Coordinates of all heavy atoms in Angstrom, one line a residue:
T1 N -89.3 75.8 -26.8 CA -87.9 75.7 -26.5 C -87.4 76.9 -25.9 O -87.6 78.1 -26.5 CB -87.1 75.4 -27.8 OG1 -87.5 74.3 -28.5 CG2 -85.6 75.3 -27.5
I2 N -86.7 76.8 -24.7 CA -86.1 77.9 -24.0 C -84.7 78.0 -24.3 O -84.0 76.9 -24.3 CB -86.4 77.9 -22.5 CG1 -86.0 79.2 -21.8 CG2 -85.8 76.8 -21.9 CD1 -86.4 79.3 -20.4
S3 N -84.0 79.1 -24.5 CA -82.6 79.3 -24.7 C -82.2 80.6 -24.1 O -83.0 81.5 -23.7 CB -82.3 79.2 -26.2 OG -83.0 80.3 -26.9
R4 N -80.9 80.9 -24.1 CA -80.4 82.1 -23.5 C -79.1 82.4 -24.1 O -78.3 81.7 -24.6 CB -80.0 81.9 -21.9 CG -79.4 83.0 -21.3 CD -79.1 82.7 -19.9 NE -78.2 83.7 -19.3 CZ -77.5 83.6 -18.1 NH1 -77.8 82.6 -17.4 NH2 -76.7 84.4 -17.8
D5 N -79.0 83.8 -24.4 CA -77.8 84.4 -25.1 C -77.4 85.6 -24.3 O -78.1 86.6 -24.2 CB -78.2 84.7 -26.5 CG -76.9 85.4 -27.1 OD1 -75.8 85.2 -26.6 OD2 -77.1 86.0 -28.2
R6 N -76.4 85.3 -23.4 CA -75.9 86.4 -22.5 C -77.0 86.8 -21.5 O -77.5 85.9 -20.7 CB -75.3 87.6 -23.2 CG -74.0 87.3 -24.1 CD -73.6 88.4 -24.7 NE -73.0 89.4 -23.9 CZ -71.8 89.5 -23.4 NH1 -71.0 88.3 -23.6 NH2 -71.4 90.4 -22.6
N7 N -77.5 88.0 -21.6 CA -78.5 88.5 -20.6 C -80.0 88.4 -21.3 O -80.8 89.1 -20.7 CB -78.3 89.9 -20.2 CG -77.1 89.9 -19.2 OD1 -76.5 89.0 -18.9 ND2 -76.8 91.1 -18.8
T8 N -80.1 87.7 -22.3 CA -81.4 87.6 -22.9 C -81.9 86.2 -23.0 O -81.1 85.3 -23.3 CB -81.4 88.2 -24.3 OG1 -81.0 89.5 -24.4 CG2 -82.8 88.1 -24.9
V9 N -83.1 85.9 -22.6 CA -83.6 84.6 -22.6 C -84.8 84.5 -23.6 O -85.6 85.6 -23.9 CB -84.2 84.1 -21.3 CG1 -85.4 84.9 -20.7 CG2 -84.6 82.7 -21.3
Y10 N -84.9 83.5 -24.3 CA -85.9 83.4 -25.4 C -86.8 82.2 -25.1 O -86.5 81.2 -24.5 CB -85.2 83.2 -26.8 CG -84.2 84.2 -27.2 CD1 -82.9 84.0 -26.9 CD2 -84.6 85.4 -27.9 CE1 -81.9 85.0 -27.2 CE2 -83.7 86.2 -28.2 CZ -82.4 86.1 -27.9 OH -81.4 87.1 -28.2
L11 N -88.1 82.3 -25.7 CA -88.9 81.1 -25.7 C -89.5 81.0 -27.1 O -90.3 81.8 -27.5 CB -90.1 81.3 -24.7 CG -91.1 80.2 -24.5 CD1 -90.4 79.1 -23.8 CD2 -92.2 80.6 -23.7
Q12 N -89.0 80.0 -27.8 CA -89.5 79.8 -29.1 C -90.8 78.8 -29.0 O -90.6 77.7 -28.5 CB -88.5 78.9 -30.0 CG -88.9 78.6 -31.3 CD -89.3 79.8 -32.2 OE1 -88.4 80.6 -32.3 NE2 -90.4 79.8 -32.8
M13 N -91.9 79.3 -29.4 CA -93.2 78.6 -29.2 C -93.6 78.1 -30.6 O -93.8 79.0 -31.5 CB -94.2 79.5 -28.5 CG -93.8 80.1 -27.3 SD -95.1 80.9 -26.4 CE -95.2 82.3 -27.4
S14 N -93.9 76.8 -30.8 CA -94.4 76.3 -31.9 C -95.7 75.5 -31.7 O -96.0 75.1 -30.5 CB -93.4 75.4 -32.7 OG -92.3 76.2 -33.0
D15 N -96.4 75.2 -32.8 CA -97.7 74.4 -32.7 C -98.6 75.1 -31.6 O -99.1 74.4 -30.6 CB -97.4 72.9 -32.3 CG -98.6 72.1 -32.5 OD1 -99.6 72.5 -33.2 OD2 -98.7 71.0 -31.8
L16 N -98.8 76.4 -31.6 CA -99.5 77.1 -30.5 C -101.1 76.6 -30.6 O -101.6 76.4 -31.6 CB -99.4 78.6 -30.7 CG -98.0 79.1 -30.2 CD1 -97.8 80.4 -30.8 CD2 -98.0 79.1 -28.6
K17 N -101.5 76.6 -29.3 CA -103.0 76.2 -29.2 C -103.8 77.3 -28.4 O -103.1 78.1 -27.7 CB -103.0 74.9 -28.4 CG -102.2 73.8 -28.9 CD -102.2 72.5 -27.9 CE -101.4 71.4 -28.5 NZ -101.3 70.2 -27.5
P18 N -105.0 77.4 -28.6 CA -105.8 78.4 -27.9 C -105.6 78.4 -26.3 O -105.6 79.5 -25.7 CB -107.2 77.9 -28.2 CG -107.1 77.4 -29.6 CD -105.9 76.6 -29.6
E19 N -105.4 77.3 -25.8 CA -105.1 77.2 -24.3 C -103.8 77.8 -23.9 O -103.5 78.0 -22.8 CB -105.3 75.8 -23.9 CG -104.4 74.8 -24.7 CD -105.2 74.0 -25.7 OE1 -106.1 74.6 -26.4 OE2 -105.1 72.7 -25.7
D20 N -102.9 78.1 -24.8 CA -101.6 78.8 -24.6 C -102.0 80.3 -24.5 O -100.9 81.0 -24.0 CB -100.6 78.6 -25.8 CG -100.2 77.1 -25.9 OD1 -100.0 76.5 -24.8 OD2 -100.0 76.7 -27.1
T21 N -103.1 80.8 -24.7 CA -103.4 82.2 -24.6 C -103.1 82.7 -23.2 O -103.8 82.1 -22.2 CB -104.8 82.6 -25.0 OG1 -104.9 82.3 -26.5 CG2 -105.2 83.9 -24.7
A22 N -102.4 83.6 -22.9 CA -102.0 84.1 -21.6 C -101.0 85.3 -21.7 O -100.5 85.6 -22.7 CB -101.4 83.0 -20.7
V23 N -100.8 86.0 -20.5 CA -99.7 87.0 -20.5 C -98.6 86.1 -20.0 O -98.6 85.5 -19.1 CB -100.1 88.0 -19.4 CG1 -98.8 88.9 -19.3 CG2 -101.3 88.9 -19.9
Y24 N -97.4 86.2 -20.8 CA -96.2 85.6 -20.5 C -95.2 86.5 -19.8 O -95.0 87.6 -20.2 CB -95.6 85.0 -21.8 CG -96.4 83.8 -22.2 CD1 -97.7 83.8 -22.7 CD2 -95.8 82.5 -22.2 CE1 -98.2 82.8 -23.3 CE2 -96.4 81.3 -22.6 CZ -97.8 81.5 -23.1 OH -98.4 80.4 -23.6
Y25 N -94.8 86.0 -18.6 CA -93.8 86.8 -17.8 C -92.4 86.1 -17.8 O -92.3 85.0 -17.6 CB -94.4 86.9 -16.4 CG -95.7 87.7 -16.2 CD1 -96.8 87.0 -16.3 CD2 -95.7 89.0 -16.1 CE1 -98.1 87.8 -16.1 CE2 -96.8 89.8 -16.0 CZ -98.1 89.0 -15.9 OH -99.3 89.7 -15.8
C26 N -91.5 87.1 -17.9 CA -90.0 86.6 -17.7 C -89.7 86.7 -16.3 O -90.1 87.6 -15.6 CB -89.2 87.6 -18.5 SG -87.5 87.3 -18.4
N27 N -88.8 85.7 -15.8 CA -88.5 85.7 -14.4 C -87.0 85.4 -14.4 O -86.4 84.7 -15.3 CB -89.3 84.6 -13.7 CG -88.6 84.4 -12.3 OD1 -87.9 83.5 -12.0 ND2 -89.1 85.2 -11.4
A28 N -86.3 86.0 -13.4 CA -84.8 85.7 -13.4 C -84.4 85.9 -11.9 O -84.8 86.7 -11.1 CB -84.1 86.7 -14.2
D29 N -83.5 84.9 -11.5 CA -82.8 84.9 -10.2 C -81.4 85.6 -10.6 O -80.6 84.9 -11.3 CB -82.6 83.6 -9.6 CG -82.0 83.8 -8.2 OD1 -82.7 84.2 -7.2 OD2 -80.8 83.4 -8.1

């Protein structure tokens, strides 16, 4: 689930799987 509060964005990740392993990058326009 992605959400935003003012200038902060969140990514709530549940039921994580091994294939989710990665470097996660924030992006903004």
Side-chain angles (χ1 to χ4, degrees):
T1 301
I2 190 169
S3 61
R4 178 184 161 187
D5 180 16
R6 296 181 67 85
N7 286 1
T8 303
V9 64
Y10 304 93
L11 186 68
Q12 178 66 52
M13 305 186 293
S14 299
D15 191 25
L16 283 162
K17 305 173 181 179
E19 51 263 44
D20 294 320
T21 296
V23 177
Y24 284 69
Y25 295 91
C26 179
N27 174 265
D29 182 74

